[in-house]
Amino acid sequence: QVQLVESGGGLVQPGGSLRLSCAASGSSVSSAVMSWYRQAPGKEREYVATIRASGTTGYAASVKGRFTISRDNAKNTVYLQMNNLKAEDTAVYYCYLPNGNYWGKGTLVTVSS
């Protein structure tokens, strides 16, 4: 029923930027809490950012000031704008809907020169 599809990953140089998208179906992003998580090679999955229905946002300390989570209600899509990327940001990034515990399949971000 609920599907989350991430896109926008790829290879970027340190200091560069990428914008990830999470297109949702079966659930309205305008009325839901939604989050981004990431999992680096050999590491556990970690929290990145959250946006609430009110528009309130929250971030992990490791990305605060560099990443911005947002949404487009008309497109039913959540975004993660990533600026000043570092090698340690390399990971598979996942969209997450806590209500129902729904995960996307992930999109790979590789930060390397």
Side-chain angles (χ1 to χ4, degrees):
Q1 48 178 320
V2 174
Q3 285 191 311
L4 306 174
V5 181
E6 303 96 335
S7 62
L11 175 65
V12 63
Q13 294 185 8
S17 299
L18 282 176
R19 187 175 76 161
L20 306 182
S21 298
C22 172
S25 61
S27 181
S28 175
V29 303
S30 66
S31 60
V33 173
M34 297 196 72
S35 297
W36 286 95
Y37 283 72
R38 67 186 183 186
Q39 187 166 20
K43 302 293 183 64
E44 294 184 352
R45 191 170 299 185
E46 67 173 344
Y47 166 79
V48 175
T50 295
I51 186 166
R52 297 183 177 274
S54 64
T56 300
T57 59
Y59 302 91
S62 59
V63 307
K64 188 173 295 184
R66 299 188 298 121
F67 291 12
T68 303
I69 186 171
S70 63
R71 67 171 182 253
D72 185 329
N73 293 337
K75 296 180 179 179
N76 207 35
T77 298
V78 175
Y79 302 97
L80 184 68
Q81 178 67 47
M82 306 183 295
N83 298 326
N84 191 25
L85 283 160
K86 304 175 180 181
E88 52 263 43
D89 295 319
T90 295
V92 176
Y93 284 72
Y94 298 91
C95 186
Y96 178 55
L97 176 60
N99 186 7
N101 195 34
Y102 293 103
W103 294 90
K105 294 294 180 64
T107 184
L108 176 62
V109 173
T110 302
V111 184
S112 177
S113 60

